[in-house]
Amino acid sequence: EVQLVESGGGSVQTGGSLRLSCAASGINLDHYAIGWFRQAPGKEREGVSSISTSDWSTYYADFAKGRFTVDSDNAKKTVYLQMNSLAPDDTAVYYCAAAQLGFGVWPRLGGLSEYEYEIWGQGTRVTVSS
């Protein structure tokens, strides 16, 4: 089976850090791009960051640049999102998603569109208190 499982969420104070993990099974990770998305209460889902596990190209939303870093450990079939300088506006459920390289449209919609991705995890919660 193909499965993505997020972990690493929790509750931190403003200025703190978290490292989220996206563990993949049932796929060859080096044939996929992995994107991170988030959805805050009452808000629509938005793209955060993404990475190609083939050529290591990355994309970041403006709010993530300079604070968040995405990287991949293909041997462990895991993609990470390091989040620093967290603020209350970062409170959300964070999801990872996979796009098969060479068959889908990634990154022709910019790398951060939900329509570029085919496989989704179930999310991990991040809460940032002021």
Side-chain angles (χ1 to χ4, degrees), residues 8-86:
S11 181
V12 299
Q13 296 183 4
T14 296
S17 298
L18 286 172
R19 190 190 191 207
L20 306 184
S21 298
C22 175
S25 62
I27 62 173
N28 293 319
L29 190 60
D30 60 357
H31 295 327
Y32 284 82
I34 299 295
W36 286 97
F37 294 79
R38 70 184 188 183
Q39 187 167 25
K43 305 290 186 179
E44 294 189 352
R45 187 167 58 192
E46 62 181 345
V48 177
S49 183
S50 65
I51 185 169
S52 167
T53 57
S54 178
D55 66 7
W56 315 113
S57 58
T58 58
Y59 298 86
Y60 292 93
D62 286 343
F63 64 79
K65 293 177 180 177
R67 296 193 299 134
F68 297 177
T69 303
V70 64
D71 61 79
S72 177
D73 186 337
N74 287 9
K76 295 182 178 180
K77 294 188 175 183
T78 302
V79 172
Y80 304 95
L81 182 68
Q82 178 68 46
M83 304 190 296
N84 300 324
S85 301
L86 286 165

